[in-house]
Amino acid sequence: MLITPAHMPSHTCPDRAELTRLLFLDGTRGPDVHGHWRRAVSAELFRYRSGMGHEERWDLSYRRLRALNEGLPSAERLARDPRELAALHEWASAVDGATATVAGIHFNLFLGSLLDGTLSPARDLGAFLSLERVGTFLCTEYAHGNDAAALETVARYDRERDEFDLHTPHPGARKYMPNTSPAGGPKSAVVAARLELDGRDQGVFLFLTPLSDHTGALPGVTVTALPERIGSPVDHCVTSFEHVRLPRSALLQGPHGHLTPDGTLNSQLGNPRKRFLHAIRRVTVGKLCMSTSTLGGSRAALATAVRYAHTRHISGPRSGTRVPLAAHRSHHSRLLDQVATAYAMTFWHRRVTERWVSHPPEDRARAERLVAVAKGWITWRAREIVTECRERCGAQGLLPVNGLAEFAANADGAITAEGDNLAVWCKAGAEMIFDHPAAPPPTPATGEESLTDPAFLREALRATERHRHLAARHDLRNSHERDALGRWNHASAAALSLVDAHALGQAADAFAEASARCAAPATRPVLENLCGLFLLAHVSRDSGTLLAEGVLTPGHVRGLPGAVQRVTARLAPHLSTLTEAFDVPEEHLASLPMLSGA
């Protein structure tokens, strides 16, 4: 039977409070920020409600949004603080992905864009700060997703009337999937549209646009609900404009463009693409939020699945005996693998967020790339985690009332939102081939190295990254294709593998840093073993390459399965403590029928 911490000497048990401290050490305000949002989602309003239709759940998500807003010292401060925005997503998504979605759109993409309009005329934000009007963000079009820079909604400046004419020229230019339905009350949007001055295309800018009032859509605005989608339901729609007139003040202005009183556009960015990227720069914080929303869901799923594994008993090896599911290595080893990944994801997200918050202006491009790489890796891993958790809970995991069924679909949404993962990784990979130093040559293995030494395993991952980096450079330089797309196609597989290896290494480094900060003597070895388990999984996957590169010996390769077994055995008694440290609100866990015995 699995030994639990309750049956172990206290000096051998990890300190749950120390694990929690390390997980939520998020800049200078980490514990305070996370504690606020954890308390907010512990309220009764956030418990699952059965028997509700999609439209009722839409309305509930907006009621929850308003409850979160009422508990804020300042909605404006929230919109300006990436750490706090990420923490909001992290905790809201653990109990309701739809609330996390509408909150991120309102506070980050909408309100944040308004606040970033540093050269815009002064405007009264009171209705948006109080949520008298809900904000939304309209960028993606039916015909333009990852190529949003080519969007076709147009805002023509009318000099005579000193206003803009916002128009959707054809069906392909309709705004696709914004939450613009009547649910939640009156709404306004920041709409990405191509600014046209005197017949000249000036690039894409954002325009503050009222969409609806208490009676429905405003004149010239057409909103069509989309079919139901999987996951936590959000009121996604297709939205178009028929010559909607907007005042001059609707234009969100900044260094990328300022419209003078005589109708001249002044810009510090001469390139229309750069103007577009500056206009939608809130999407980078959105990537941080998408990552952490799946992070919160992953940890909630693991906390649920591990508690179920200890409370659900099945027939034991001897007649008349019963043992918990967690007693079986086939069960707890799979959960431990995912717990190790969740810790790595959490520690790396903290590091990436800090890099984004503190990067100097000249390092912005690399900081944006790091956020994009992390978003892809974390959301993809999150989907794997929640799928494993659902499977480990059997048929109970299929019931929405038990809190697991929607997590995988919510991860799918995050994988696509704020830049499809594959597209943003292709961009990152293309940049990293030459705009990123290759790792140094590895030291050949002697065979004496320990497969449970995290430092040795980290060096092996570094060798994997170097191998993939050099392969990508070789494939790009040695392509027989004459056009740029053909050369990229030849190198893309290796480039994407490079991004994956780089992400793994960065997550491993963040894990090691967190372990080094651990102050509890019995806890640090557990964290180091958990980090080792995380590394072993990926070294095992690449053992063929590492053997060929001389980083592993044949003995190492033969010993990998045994090393995994030994580390798993060390960690198994601590499985519950490791997930209790996620601090998922007891109000949420106790409300799940499969955990409460209901």
Side-chain angles (χ1 to χ4, degrees):
M1 179 179 292
L2 183 70
I3 300 174
T4 62
H7 300 101
M8 298 176 66
S10 61
H11 68 275
T12 65
C13 295
D15 185 331
R16 172 187 165 179
E18 176 65 0
L19 290 171
T20 300
R21 183 187 74 83
L22 292 168
L23 284 164
F24 298 106
L25 192 63
D26 194 354
T28 58
R29 298 180 58 239
D32 174 56
V33 170
H34 287 277
H36 168 82
W37 294 116
R38 183 185 182 278
R39 290 188 295 274
V41 302
S42 298
E44 180 60 30
L45 179 63
F46 288 86
R47 301 291 70 78
Y48 181 82
R49 302 187 180 194
S50 61
M52 299 182 74
H54 274 68
E55 293 189 11
E56 291 176 294
R57 291 192 63 187
W58 294 348
D59 288 330
L60 177 60
S61 68
Y62 287 106
R63 293 207 305 276
R64 289 170 169 170
L65 172 64
R66 288 186 166 86
L68 294 177
N69 192 62
E70 289 170 4
L72 281 174
S74 167
E76 184 173 341
R77 191 184 78 178
L78 169 63
R80 295 185 187 277
D81 187 342
R83 289 193 194 96
E84 193 162 356
L85 283 167
L88 160 60
H89 283 74
E90 194 165 338
W91 291 99
S93 64
V95 296
D96 181 24
T99 299
T101 297
V102 297
I105 292 169
H106 176 80
F107 290 117
N108 176 48
L109 295 177
F110 175 79
L111 187 56
S113 294
L114 292 180
L115 294 171
D116 287 349
T118 54
L119 298 181
S120 299
R123 53 170 57 94
D124 181 6
L125 301 180
F128 309 128
L129 296 174
S130 67
L131 276 172
E132 180 184 338
R133 295 189 69 84
V134 174
T136 185
F137 187 77
L138 280 63
C139 183
T140 300
E141 295 179 355
Y142 193 82
H144 300 289
N146 291 316
D147 67 335
L151 60 80
E152 297 176 83
T153 299
V154 63
R156 295 183 175 89
Y157 180 59
D158 184 334
R159 288 186 177 277
E160 291 185 5
R161 298 174 62 173
D162 193 26
E163 59 186 22
F164 300 99
D165 181 316
L166 181 67
H167 185 62
T168 303
H170 58 79
R174 292 175 296 169
K175 296 299 183 181
Y176 189 63
M177 291 192 75
N179 56 317
T180 52
S181 85
K187 292 179 179 175
S188 292
V190 286
V191 180
R194 199 163 293 283
L195 173 60
E196 188 176 295
L197 288 177
D198 302 325
R200 289 189 59 190
D201 176 7
Q202 301 291 339
V204 174
F205 287 78
L206 300 179
F207 297 82
L208 176 59
T209 308
L211 299 177
S212 59
D213 58 20
H214 286 289
T215 64
L218 296 174
V221 180
T222 300
V223 176
T224 304
L226 284 166
E228 295 178 6
R229 72 164 181 88
I230 58 173
S232 302
V234 178
D235 55 314
H236 290 305
C237 300
V238 175
T239 307
S240 61
F241 304 97
E242 182 70 24
H243 297 295
V244 173
R245 310 297 294 196
L246 299 174
R248 165 196 279 270
S249 60
L251 175 64
L252 273 59
Q253 303 178 62
H256 62 305
H258 172 60
L259 193 63
T260 64
D262 66 356
T264 301
L265 183 73
N266 291 330
S267 176
Q268 298 176 22
L269 304 174
N271 185 321
R273 178 171 177 80
K274 290 182 179 179
R275 295 176 189 173
F276 167 70
L277 294 176
H278 188 278
I280 66 162
R281 62 194 180 281
R282 273 283 164 168
V283 168
T284 299
V285 176
K287 286 183 173 67
L288 278 175
C289 294
M290 289 299 98
S291 303
T292 198
S293 68
T294 61
L295 191 55
S298 297
R299 293 199 308 261
L302 282 164
T304 302
V306 168
R307 183 175 292 194
Y308 184 73
H310 283 88
T311 56
R312 173 78 168 181
H313 286 67
I314 60 174
S315 298
R318 296 190 304 275
S319 177
T321 63
R322 305 277 290 175
V323 298
L325 284 171
H328 287 272
R329 177 67 56 83
S330 58
H331 196 95
H332 68 246
S333 66
R334 287 173 174 263
L335 291 174
L336 272 170
D337 286 343
Q338 303 303 338
V339 168
T341 300
Y343 270 74
M345 290 158 60
T346 302
F347 294 140
W348 190 31
H349 194 278
R350 305 287 180 246
R351 196 186 198 200
V352 171
T353 302
E354 192 61 29
R355 171 75 179 279
W356 175 251
V357 169
S358 62
H359 76 272
E362 63 273 16
D363 198 35
R364 185 180 181 91
R366 286 189 174 86
E368 286 180 336
R369 183 169 70 209
L370 181 64
V371 170
V373 170
K375 187 257 184 181
W377 189 79
I378 289 172
T379 56
W380 269 323
R381 299 295 79 76
R383 181 169 59 186
E384 294 171 1
I385 289 173
V386 298
T387 298
E388 186 68 53
C389 290
R390 204 293 305 158
E391 289 185 17
R392 300 285 64 76
C393 292
Q396 292 275 19
L398 293 172
L399 303 178
V401 71
N402 282 323
L404 291 172
E406 291 179 355
F407 280 139
N410 292 345
D412 283 335
I415 285 167
T416 300
E418 313 292 28
D420 180 82
N421 280 2
L422 186 59
V424 297
W425 268 30
C426 281
K427 181 178 183 292
E431 294 170 353
M432 288 177 65
I433 290 177
F434 294 113
D435 184 30
H436 183 73
T443 301
T446 65
E448 299 300 316
E449 299 86 357
S450 171
L451 285 174
T452 57
D453 177 8
F456 172 62
L457 296 172
R458 175 63 182 101
E459 286 303 309
L461 277 191
R462 191 170 284 110
T464 298
E465 181 177 347
R466 172 182 170 83
H467 172 80
R468 295 178 181 180
H469 201 160
L470 297 181
R473 288 182 178 178
H474 175 274
D475 288 352
L476 190 65
R477 285 169 169 158
N478 292 276
S479 170
H480 298 296
E481 302 292 339
R482 295 184 177 181
D483 64 289
L485 178 58
R487 290 192 296 273
W488 165 248
N489 283 338
H490 189 65
S492 60
L496 288 168
S497 294
L498 162 63
V499 177
D500 182 58
H502 181 67
L504 286 171
Q506 292 294 302
D509 289 344
F511 207 144
E513 288 177 3
S515 298
R517 290 194 297 268
C518 182
T523 305
R524 186 164 177 173
V526 174
L527 273 177
E528 290 173 345
N529 278 315
L530 195 64
C531 183
L533 184 64
F534 169 72
L535 290 164
L536 276 167
H538 298 289
V539 169
S540 298
R541 184 189 67 178
D542 293 318
S543 59
T545 297
L546 294 171
L547 178 64
E549 294 288 324
V551 180
L552 297 181
T553 66
H556 282 138
V557 175
R558 286 192 291 269
L560 282 167
V564 171
Q565 289 270 37
R566 291 193 299 277
V567 175
T568 300
R570 293 174 195 164
L571 290 168
H574 310 303
L575 178 58
S576 288
T577 303
L578 288 167
T579 53
E580 287 168 1
F582 293 156
D583 216 20
V584 177
E586 185 61 30
E587 292 87 348
H588 170 71
L589 294 174
S591 72
L592 307 180
M594 73 177 183
L595 299 183
S596 65

